[in-house]
Amino acid sequence: MTGASRGIGLATAGHLRNSCEQLILVGHTKGPTTPVTGTGAAAATYQVDLRSPDERQRFREQLAAREGPPITGFVHCAGGGMPAAVEDIDGQVLRDLFELHVVAFVELARDLLPAMRRSEFGRIVAVGSLAPLRPRSFMIPYAATKAALRAAVQCLAAEVIGDSVLVNCVSPGGVDTDLGRAGRERLVRLFERQGRPSPPPRQEDLPRGRAVEAADVARAIAFLLDPENEVLAGQDLVVAGTHLMR
């Protein structure tokens, strides 16, 4: 699982610790340890900057040399990106986000698929976002790269459905994490800079008006990973109350 050192990935690692034989956790920052120690799954942790092709290559080589049971589940939680006005968008930041959200997902899924096919079982889940589903101002870098991730998920889902490998996306909205709060604060400032009122939070779309928590997203991911899920594939499961209904 990528993005395991904070936010949704950290919550998911904790949620899965008693349902997996082993967790392989990848984070940009050192860790995690707390959610996966003690009872439950053993955990192997790797510190990798998935924006870097060289670091991804080294990690993929480590993964290929690993001994142990085949990896039949892959969760791509790694994510980043902050709101920006179009005139402020840095091309390198845009390329880094594409590497992080899309290229890392495709490379790791490609590497893991042979073992899933041999096992005739696999579950792949990527964490998307409401951003490409409800486009808004100042979200080009994040929304565009998350949209590309969503497309990659659905293309892959169609390609491997005959191999009993199910690929899905979970798209949360307004999650109460450090990254989410920082993004919302910057968005307000960008609207203010243009003299425009920022859209108010739609708390009425959530049960009792509470924020979406990382644990809510972790439960959705676990549902799609469950071996008892034998039919959901190519889906985008929105975790945002009634904020988006299709």
Side-chain angles (χ1 to χ4, degrees):
M1 179 173 62
T2 67
S5 56
R6 63 179 184 177
I8 292 168
L10 185 62
T12 304
H15 191 81
L16 295 176
R17 69 186 184 276
N18 290 321
S19 60
C20 297
E21 184 175 347
Q22 183 182 42
L23 292 174
I24 297 173
L25 306 174
V26 181
H28 187 189
T29 56
K30 189 175 181 179
T33 54
T34 306
V36 291
T37 54
T39 61
T45 63
Y46 298 85
Q47 186 175 355
V48 184
D49 183 353
L50 292 173
R51 298 170 300 180
S52 164
D54 291 340
E55 289 201 31
R56 285 200 312 271
Q57 178 63 29
R58 283 193 291 272
F59 170 64
R60 290 168 53 218
E61 290 170 357
Q62 290 175 307
L63 209 56
R66 157 190 174 275
E67 296 182 357
I71 298 171
T72 55
F74 169 40
V75 181
H76 188 51
C77 288
M82 297 294 285
V86 64
E87 61 269 20
D88 298 329
I89 293 174
D90 182 288
Q92 187 57 53
V93 170
L94 194 59
R95 287 186 287 273
D96 284 346
L97 284 178
F98 192 81
E99 292 279 346
L100 177 64
H101 292 157
V102 185
V103 181
F105 169 77
V106 173
E107 286 184 349
L108 289 169
R110 181 189 64 199
D111 289 355
L112 297 173
L113 272 169
M116 294 182 183
R117 284 172 163 148
R118 288 193 297 271
S119 300
E120 297 184 335
F121 175 85
R123 298 291 183 269
I124 298 174
V125 181
V127 176
S129 172
L130 279 190
L133 305 176
R134 295 292 296 266
R136 64 192 304 184
S137 304
F138 310 120
M139 296 299 291
I140 289 175
Y142 184 75
T145 53
K146 284 290 190 177
L149 172 62
R150 184 175 186 267
V153 164
Q154 294 184 328
C155 290
L156 181 61
E159 187 170 338
V160 300
I161 188 69
D163 301 313
S164 297
V165 178
L166 306 186
V167 188
N168 289 283
C169 192
V170 173
S171 288
V175 186
D176 188 23
T177 62
D178 291 342
L179 182 64
R181 287 189 293 272
R184 288 187 288 276
E185 289 171 3
R186 181 174 292 190
L187 198 59
V188 168
R189 291 195 298 272
L190 286 166
F191 274 101
E192 290 175 345
R193 193 173 84 181
Q194 290 194 352
R196 300 163 56 192
S198 59
R202 295 183 56 174
Q203 297 302 108
E204 70 274 11
D205 291 320
L206 296 164
R208 294 186 298 278
R210 74 168 179 83
V212 177
E213 298 175 356
D216 298 317
V217 188
R219 284 188 287 270
I221 292 169
F223 167 71
L224 292 172
L225 290 174
D226 195 316
E228 293 190 5
N229 166 34
E230 297 182 333
V231 295
L232 290 180
Q235 302 304 306
D236 189 352
L237 179 57
V238 173
V239 183
T242 59
H243 186 60
L244 182 69
M245 295 189 290
R246 294 169 291 173

